[in-house]
Amino acid sequence: MKKLLIFMIFFLISCGPSEEEIQERIDEAVFQATSTTTSTTTTTTTTLPTEECDIFINGVTLIKNDIEKTLYERFEGEGYDERLQFLSDQVFDLNTLESFILAIEARTDNELEILYQLENFRYLVREHYALTYKILYQLGTDYEEAYDVFDEAELLGNQLSIRINNYKCEN
């Protein structure tokens, strides 16, 4: 019985795949596993963050353009009350844009700095209109202060445009 058991074990071992075949199967399985992981990783790490980045940049650009358009809007009417209403509406619109800026999430330090700069830009433009409103309402503000804020906002808006245009989505 012992001889039969030894013979059967020897027979089973000799009928199985050789060491070379086993090594080939292992190598093939490893190759398939790594090539699948690489392609999955590549699509996951490059496509999704780039889409998120594009969404971020598009959102920031739209808000920046809205703020910039507001910066250059001028009231062409003649009535005092209408001018006050126009300035009040501009300030309200710029305050509304604040919530849109706060809703955008940053993934990187660069994006966080862009959002910070965008919020400063919005604040300066709103401040310019608030100062102009105070001038019309004769609350002691002078034109020079309002124009200085306007110039500062314009400079920051230009810097922000350059920063947005130079920002790359391959982060």
Side-chain angles (χ1 to χ4, degrees):
M1 181 84 160
K2 233 182 193 184
K3 289 183 184 179
L4 184 62
L5 184 60
I6 293 173
F7 178 73
M8 297 235 348
I9 292 174
F10 180 73
F11 180 73
L12 287 174
I13 292 174
S14 64
C15 289
S18 68
E19 284 186 40
E20 291 175 357
E21 290 174 336
I22 292 172
Q23 189 60 43
E24 283 178 19
R25 287 182 186 173
I26 291 172
D27 291 344
E28 185 178 327
V30 168
F31 175 75
Q32 287 177 349
T34 56
S35 66
T36 305
T37 303
T38 303
S39 65
T40 304
T41 303
T42 303
T43 55
T44 305
T45 56
T46 58
T47 307
L48 189 59
T50 301
E51 288 175 13
E52 289 174 359
C53 179
D54 288 339
I55 291 168
F56 172 85
I57 290 296
N58 290 340
V60 167
T61 303
L62 286 173
I63 293 172
K64 191 234 169 238
N65 290 343
D66 282 351
I67 295 170
E68 194 165 63
K69 183 181 87 177
T70 303
L71 178 65
Y72 296 112
E73 276 188 24
R74 293 282 181 246
F75 181 77
E76 301 299 330
E78 294 183 21
Y80 177 80
D81 291 335
E82 289 82 4
R83 284 181 189 273
L84 285 176
Q85 186 60 47
F86 168 78
L87 293 169
S88 177
D89 291 345
Q90 294 301 92
V91 169
F92 177 79
D93 290 345
L94 287 162
N95 285 339
T96 303
L97 284 176
E98 180 181 18
S99 63
F100 291 129
I101 294 171
L102 295 175
I104 298 174
E105 292 186 19
R107 298 172 307 121
T108 65
D109 290 342
N110 284 337
E111 289 175 355
L112 195 59
E113 289 174 22
I114 288 172
L115 283 179
Y116 180 72
Q117 204 170 16
L118 180 64
E119 171 54 21
N120 284 340
F121 180 50
R122 181 209 63 85
Y123 173 79
L124 287 170
V125 175
R126 185 191 64 84
E127 192 64 19
H128 167 68
Y129 276 102
L131 288 171
T132 308
Y133 182 87
K134 287 178 183 178
I135 290 167
L136 281 180
Y137 225 159
Q138 298 177 348
L139 295 176
T141 305
D142 61 0
Y143 285 102
E144 190 173 313
E145 184 181 2
Y147 286 119
D148 287 346
V149 172
F150 177 87
D151 291 341
E152 190 178 350
E154 189 174 35
L155 177 65
L156 185 59
N158 291 337
Q159 291 170 350
L160 183 57
S161 291
I162 292 168
R163 185 167 203 156
I164 291 170
N165 289 336
N166 289 338
Y167 187 70
K168 304 291 182 226
C169 288
E170 293 88 32
N171 292 355

